[in-house]
Amino acid sequence: MRHNIAKLFGKRVRELRKRKGFSQERLAEESELDRSFMSGIERGVENPTLYTIQAIAEGLGVTVGELMKGL
């Protein structure tokens, strides 16, 4: 299970991003992150820090709890 958490998180980010109608580039800008890093997060190859998770949640306009829901 532990090795799947990055992929599950990436899938959740992608789902919420698409719901908002954001491109990866737009979400990266809103979150103040690099677009290629955002791509890696969505693919589950990057391991985001708590700071990054908070930045993504803020970029999506959701709470960290909502972002992590279902993981």
Side-chain angles (χ1 to χ4, degrees):
M1 176 67 170
R2 191 175 357 164
H3 63 282
N4 291 326
I5 193 72
K7 289 192 182 292
L8 292 172
F9 179 74
K11 184 177 177 183
R12 179 70 174 153
V13 170
R14 181 179 295 119
E15 173 189 315
L16 292 173
R17 174 179 62 77
K18 288 185 175 187
R19 253 192 237 167
K20 289 283 262 190
F22 285 2
S23 65
Q24 277 186 351
E25 185 172 358
R26 170 82 186 273
L27 178 55
E29 288 173 5
E30 294 291 329
S31 305
E32 300 181 358
L33 299 170
D34 184 78
R35 194 216 50 84
S36 61
F37 183 57
M38 185 64 68
S39 173
I41 289 170
E42 286 193 6
R43 289 181 289 121
V45 298
E46 294 287 352
N47 186 16
T49 64
L50 290 173
Y51 173 82
T52 301
I53 291 168
Q54 181 180 10
I56 292 169
E58 289 173 1
L60 289 167
V62 300
T63 66
V64 171
E66 182 65 25
L67 179 57
M68 304 301 283
K69 188 174 183 179
L71 300 184

